[in-house]
Amino acid sequence: MPRARFLGGLALLLAVVSAASRAYRAGFTLPDELENYDEYYDRLREIEVVFGRVTQPEEKLRQLAQLEAESAAELRRFLQMKLRSTFVF
């Protein structure tokens, strides 16, 4: 019986160590999030500046469509990155 407990405990320990090392590796292989968000923020600021300068409703609508496209692209990038991550759930 003590041997079975030892083997069970060892299996549990190995599983935890394996999960921890996998999470550690996955965490350091993800792209640099701060750089991606800085680029996204810069694109949004450009849209905001142009939106503030234009007066024609058609051009404002075009800028809002650009904002929507940028937001959708960022969401796709974020979801693809999370799908590629190998964190243990």
Side-chain angles (χ1 to χ4, degrees), residues 17-54:
V17 168
S18 174
S21 67
R22 185 174 177 189
Y24 179 80
R25 275 192 324 252
F28 282 100
T29 59
L30 292 176
D32 186 14
E33 282 299 293
L34 289 178
E35 183 178 312
N36 288 330
Y37 286 127
D38 284 341
E39 291 173 8
Y40 177 58
Y41 178 73
D42 290 341
R43 291 190 307 269
L44 294 184
R45 284 289 292 154
E46 289 173 13
I47 293 170
E48 180 184 28
V49 168
V50 173
F51 185 84
R53 278 191 278 144
V54 297

Side-chain angles (χ1 to χ4, degrees), residues 31-33 36-37 40 43 72-82 84:
D32 186 14
E33 282 299 293
N36 288 330
Y37 286 127
Y40 177 58
R43 291 190 307 269
E74 175 60 22
L75 180 59
R76 275 193 300 278
R77 186 204 63 78
F78 176 80
L79 292 174
Q80 288 171 351
M81 182 199 57
K82 295 305 178 192
R84 285 191 314 262

Side-chain angles (χ1 to χ4, degrees), residues 4-23:
R5 283 186 180 170
F6 174 75
L7 290 177
L10 183 60
L12 179 62
L13 177 65
L14 289 174
V16 169
V17 168
S18 174
S21 67
R22 185 174 177 189

